Amino acid sequence: MIDASTFLRRALLADAIFSGGAALGFTFGAGAFASLFNLPEALLRETGLFLIAYTALVGWLTSRASVARPLVLLVVVGNAAWTVGSIALLFSGAVSPNISGELMVVAQAIATGVFAELQYVGLRKSGNVVVA
């Protein structure tokens, strides 16, 4: 366990807010977003459901004064993988989004990459190991 820096906790909070909004939108508005972005409704709904669990984890980490370093690293690596995977999805040919869909995927990939970077910096700024 490490003392979570204020910077890390704020980076995690921003991620939880962003992810929570996306979770609600994609879970409950998958049909509307599917039409708007020309993306599969099932992909959007399943993404939303995953993000509900992810938001709960990140929100819980945000609330802790001390956190397990491996758990924060998992979030950082997960965000980096999400960024790469989002861009790879566009190039894979597995989906054929319209321009709005492409812009949405790229924008959320960039935001997720920024969260990964901020959380990594926050992790490096975090303090001493806490003995439980």
Side-chain angles (χ1 to χ4, degrees):
M1 302 290 279
I2 58 169
D3 285 328
S5 68
T6 300
F7 190 94
L8 174 59
R9 291 175 62 194
R10 287 182 179 161
L12 290 167
L13 177 60
D15 190 0
I17 291 168
F18 179 83
S19 298
L24 292 174
F26 289 156
T27 299
F28 299 110
F33 283 122
S35 297
L36 180 64
F37 299 134
N38 198 40
L39 287 167
E41 184 175 344
L43 173 66
L44 295 173
R45 182 165 289 110
E46 290 168 12
T47 298
L49 291 170
F50 168 80
L51 287 173
I52 290 171
Y54 176 79
T55 299
L57 169 66
V58 176
W60 179 79
L61 286 171
T62 299
S63 71
R64 315 286 3 139
S66 58
V67 294
R69 182 178 174 84
L71 216 49
V72 176
L73 280 173
L74 177 66
V75 170
V76 171
V77 170
N79 278 335
W82 186 282
T83 298
V84 172
S86 296
I87 301 304
L89 177 66
L90 292 178
F91 287 107
S92 72
V95 296
S96 300
N98 56 26
I99 190 70
S100 295
E102 289 177 358
L103 290 173
M104 184 276 299
V105 171
V106 169
Q108 63 81 34
I110 290 169
T112 304
V114 168
F115 289 139
E117 180 65 23
L118 292 173
Q119 290 158 354
Y120 180 73
V121 169
L123 188 57
R124 293 182 50 99
K125 289 179 178 238
S126 292
N128 304 321
V129 174
V130 177
V131 179

